[in-house]
Amino acid sequence: MHCLVALLLALQSATVVDVQGHHEVTLAVQVGDVIYTAEFSRHALKPESLIEGDHVGAEVRDGKMRVKRKDGKTVWGRVIWEQRVLVHPHP
């Protein structure tokens, strides 16, 4: 049972920051205070299936991003960029 709980908690809520589609689909999502950018094949992820501001389940591990599509299927892409978001404290 512990394995099942760990798998369910692995995908975190992420906000889609940008989606670009050329030969491959480049997806940028924000998880917490980090923005991750990854490349997916057009077969795995269609650029028109996500728009900026969408919320998806995502996980980044070992240089790969796992994203749960709207149809429930999970796809993997290669992380190409990671950037921490700077947040200024409120006065």
Side-chain angles (χ1 to χ4, degrees):
M1 184 59 130
H2 293 287
C3 290
L4 179 60
V5 172
L7 289 174
L8 291 176
L9 296 176
L11 288 178
Q12 300 177 15
S13 177
T15 303
V16 175
V17 177
D18 190 27
V19 181
Q20 296 180 8
H22 301 290
H23 292 39
E24 293 185 333
V25 177
T26 304
L27 175 67
V29 297
Q30 183 171 348
V31 179
D33 63 347
V34 180
I35 295 175
Y36 298 97
T37 304
E39 289 182 335
F40 294 84
S41 71
R42 289 177 89 47
H43 177 72
L45 194 64
K46 305 280 188 245
E48 60 275 356
S49 66
L50 295 171
I51 60 170
E52 186 177 321
D54 278 351
H55 293 282
V56 296
E59 174 190 32
V60 176
R61 186 178 348 144
D62 300 328
K64 295 189 177 194
M65 180 189 298
R66 181 171 70 151
V67 173
K68 186 173 185 179
R69 299 187 322 196
K70 291 180 181 180
D71 66 1
K73 184 175 180 182
T74 303
V75 295
W76 288 91
R78 179 178 60 91
V79 173
I80 57 174
W81 186 259
E82 177 181 327
Q83 179 179 354
R84 189 159 303 277
V85 178
L86 298 178
V87 180
H88 298 286
H90 295 277

